[in-house]
Amino acid sequence: MTQTETTVGIGGAAESTDMVLNIGPQHPSTHGVLRLRLVLDGERIERAEPVVGYMHRGAEKLFEARDYRQIIVLANRHDWLSAFSNELGVVIGVERMLGMEVPERAVWTRTLLAELNRVLNHLMFLGSYPLELGGITPVFHSFREREELQNVMEEVSGGRMHYMFNRVGGLKDDLPAGWRDRARQAVAAVRSRMDTFDKLVLGNEIFRGRTRGVGVLSPELVHAYGVSGPIARASGVDFDLRRDEPYLGYAELADVLKVVTRQEGDCLARFEVLLDQTHNSLELADACLDRLAELPAGPVNQRLPKVLKAPEGASYTWTENPLGLNGYYLVSKGEKTPYRLKLRSASFNNIQALTELLPGTLVADMVAILGSFFFVVGDIDK
């Protein structure tokens, strides 16, 4: 009788076995639905694959069945922290196709509201990122500051998140009486308390220990993957459309606008860039309020025909959204609906760099790296 022996490896022999770990499909802080497929060797990540599409809503296809007034409400929503900025790219693109000049009061009001929206976006991440690393206090401070600014945004537009205040040719309404003063008070109140984040977060040795030197993104990877916004500038890529290809009123704000960069490219640098940009956006908002106070009374929109049709042709518009570059490729066949409207969203490109960035890092650092990419999942899936 022949006996067969089977040896089962235990202990150290099992440690070299690769393990596939699914993170999600969700964000570790439930910002949205993203799946990360990780291949691990012990505690170290060997391969990482972001799997997207769980929130796909087909916005680009829906653009083709909506007229030029209706597409604004669809474009408004993909990055739900940057609704006003999302609207801007669409209306600027249509206005360029029409060869339409927007009243000066509308230009400066748009610039002001875009910067207030940028602050609202950044405050969310300034609070949520420390929360993902175990620090609960900063998120309470960030939401208090957000409420100050959301109150004035709600007063002017009627919306708290999805403002729907832009229109082709200008804005929905003029500013309410006394609103500029209330907006200035809100900006001053938020600025007076922003040093909380400098002291409470950046001054925290645990936060610095979890983020310094972690998740270093090289400028070469930034260019290879089309990474943009605060993440790219934290890796030393000095590019900002507001300065390099100005739109709205940014050409006249060159002395106030500061393009914040860092060279380290790590999680800490990304947070520092976001914080410094928030300070600068508050300064830009004040400068816009000063300019609006100097302008004479006048219209804030153009009179449009009952049926709005863009002439046949194509245009590409890009804007410096809070999370990075947003591009809008509009193709018209002369009808009242776009033939095609392709959306290039910042988060989609930014998140792809994780494929190169996560391998070689520890699982414990994965959440720190993922959180420092400041993405909105709707902005990935559209």
Side-chain angles (χ1 to χ4, degrees), residues 69 82 87 129 135 204 219-220 243 257 339-340 345 361:
R69 293 178 175 91
S82 310
E87 300 168 12
Y129 185 43
N204 186 293
E220 292 75 23
R243 177 198 65 194
L257 175 64
Y339 177 75
R340 184 82 169 89
S345 58
T361 62

Side-chain angles (χ1 to χ4, degrees), residues 78-258:
H78 57 91
D79 174 0
W80 45 76
L81 296 177
S82 310
F84 188 86
S85 303
N86 298 340
E87 300 168 12
L88 264 180
V90 172
V91 295
I92 291 174
V94 178
E95 286 159 5
R96 287 178 181 174
M97 292 281 282
L98 294 167
M100 181 181 289
E101 286 288 328
V102 177
E104 191 175 15
R105 280 171 55 79
V107 170
W108 283 101
T109 304
R110 282 177 173 180
T111 312
L112 166 63
L113 296 178
E115 290 306 312
L116 292 179
N117 194 194
R118 194 180 309 274
V119 175
L120 283 170
N121 174 291
H122 290 358
L123 280 170
M124 174 62 80
F125 291 106
L126 291 174
S128 70
Y129 185 43
L131 181 64
E132 289 165 18
L133 298 180
I136 193 172
T137 308
V139 76
F140 295 118
H141 290 279
S142 68
F143 268 82
R144 179 179 66 177
E145 311 315 334
R146 278 174 56 83
E147 279 300 313
E148 291 271 5
L149 297 176
Q150 277 194 299
N151 286 340
V152 295
M153 294 291 279
E154 183 178 8
E155 182 186 356
V156 76
S157 69
R160 284 179 63 82
M161 284 187 71
H162 305 301
Y163 305 107
M164 275 304 295
F165 196 55
N166 280 289
R167 295 291 186 273
V168 176
L171 298 167
K172 175 187 170 189
D173 294 307
D174 203 347
L175 300 174
W179 182 86
R180 286 201 313 270
D181 292 333
R182 290 188 287 279
R184 195 181 291 278
Q185 290 167 8
V187 169
V190 172
R191 184 192 290 108
S192 70
R193 295 190 292 260
M194 280 302 295
D195 65 340
T196 300
F197 296 95
D198 293 282
K199 296 173 182 175
L200 186 64
V201 184
L202 286 181
N204 186 293
E205 62 184 50
I206 299 173
F207 178 83
R208 298 184 78 87
R210 288 291 308 276
T211 56
R212 188 195 285 117
V214 174
V216 177
L217 182 67
S218 69
E220 292 75 23
L221 279 179
V222 168
H223 294 303
Y225 281 87
V227 175
S228 59
I231 302 172
R233 291 191 282 274
S235 295
V237 178
D238 188 4
F239 183 74
D240 190 314
L241 277 178
R242 295 174 297 170
R243 177 198 65 194
D244 301 322
E245 197 173 307
Y247 57 100
L248 296 180
Y250 290 115
E252 298 180 42
L253 294 171
D255 55 334
V256 182
L257 175 64
K258 300 183 184 72

Side-chain angles (χ1 to χ4, degrees), residues 5-20:
E5 291 185 0
T6 303
T7 304
V8 179
I10 59 172
E15 291 179 5
S16 62
T17 304
D18 287 348
M19 180 175 71
V20 177

